[in-house]
Amino acid sequence: MLRMIAIPSLDPNLWVERTGLSVLVFHFEPSCTRKNNAFDACGWERPELAREKKGEIMELGGKVSLITGGTGGIGGATAVELARRGSDIMIIDRQIDDRGGAIQKQIESLGKRCFLLAADMSAPEEITKSVRDTVAQMGSVDVLVHAAGGAVPGSLLQVTPEAWYGAFSIHVHAIFHLCRAAVPFMKKKREGAIVLISSAAGSRGCLGAVA
């Protein structure tokens, strides 16, 4: 079964992950207060600790997850968490730097495959190619997480048209191209999950930024 859910990050420490088997709410808390040594390397409380007793753990053994914006932040934490649940990981970001390498090492230490791929999510041809390259290198795309993006600084009268359209290319139009490329592979397997992580600005706005 193919499922899609858009996730509003009203609080960057709270988002929802949905698959064809279950719905899980991940609530990560900053590591300023430790609780039972339950924090991972990113400094967030691991969500499965609250779910293990209920038998709601999502198993992703044998699956491949493609994560945009996965070299840090929510995307990086998602990549590590999905690897913990058994998935191999493809991380896609505009630039692959030391942060991405650190995430890769963390995932590989869990015994899962992890590859890093540089691609611009504002360029349709690069988006399509990144999905195809993932399938060619890893065999499939079972989970698609679009976490790439960020704030565009400037007021209405200050922001340039290029910055405005660039933000929409990454935050909105990339979804169309990612799904258009990935869904055919999911349909072949008759299952898949698509997770879209949105900005808090869509609900409460951000002072000094337009998108």
Side-chain angles (χ1 to χ4, degrees), residues 40-52:
D40 64 12
C42 295
W44 292 329
E45 187 176 7
R46 292 182 57 185
E48 68 268 23
L49 298 179
R51 298 287 186 172
E52 284 176 346

Side-chain angles (χ1 to χ4, degrees), residues 84-156:
R84 282 200 181 100
R85 295 170 183 271
S87 179
D88 291 320
I89 305 295
M90 173 65 82
I91 291 175
I92 298 177
D93 220 314
R94 180 175 293 181
Q95 294 182 335
I96 302 301
D97 53 20
D98 292 342
R99 294 193 311 160
I103 295 291
Q104 183 181 37
K105 289 181 181 179
Q106 190 174 353
I107 290 171
E108 290 176 343
S109 72
L110 298 171
K112 307 311 299 181
R113 293 185 298 161
C114 179
F115 297 98
L116 306 176
L117 178 64
D120 185 352
M121 289 296 104
S122 68
E125 64 280 4
E126 291 193 32
I127 295 172
T128 300
K129 185 176 184 299
S130 68
V131 174
R132 292 176 178 171
D133 287 349
T134 298
V135 174
Q137 189 165 10
M138 305 190 75
S140 68
V141 174
D142 302 292
V143 179
L144 168 64
V145 180
H146 183 43
V152 178
S155 69
L156 174 64

Side-chain angles (χ1 to χ4, degrees), residues 7 23 60 76 95 106 108 133 147 171 173 185 211:
I7 301 173
V23 178
L60 294 175
Q95 294 182 335
Q106 190 174 353
E108 290 176 343
D133 287 349
H171 298 153
H173 302 316
F185 296 106

Side-chain angles (χ1 to χ4, degrees), residues 5 20 46 68-69 72 75 90 122-123 145 150 153 161 177 181 196-197 204 206 208:
I5 185 167
R46 292 182 57 185
T68 71
M90 173 65 82
S122 68
V145 180
H177 297 292
L196 311 176
I197 299 178
R204 66 186 183 193
C206 293

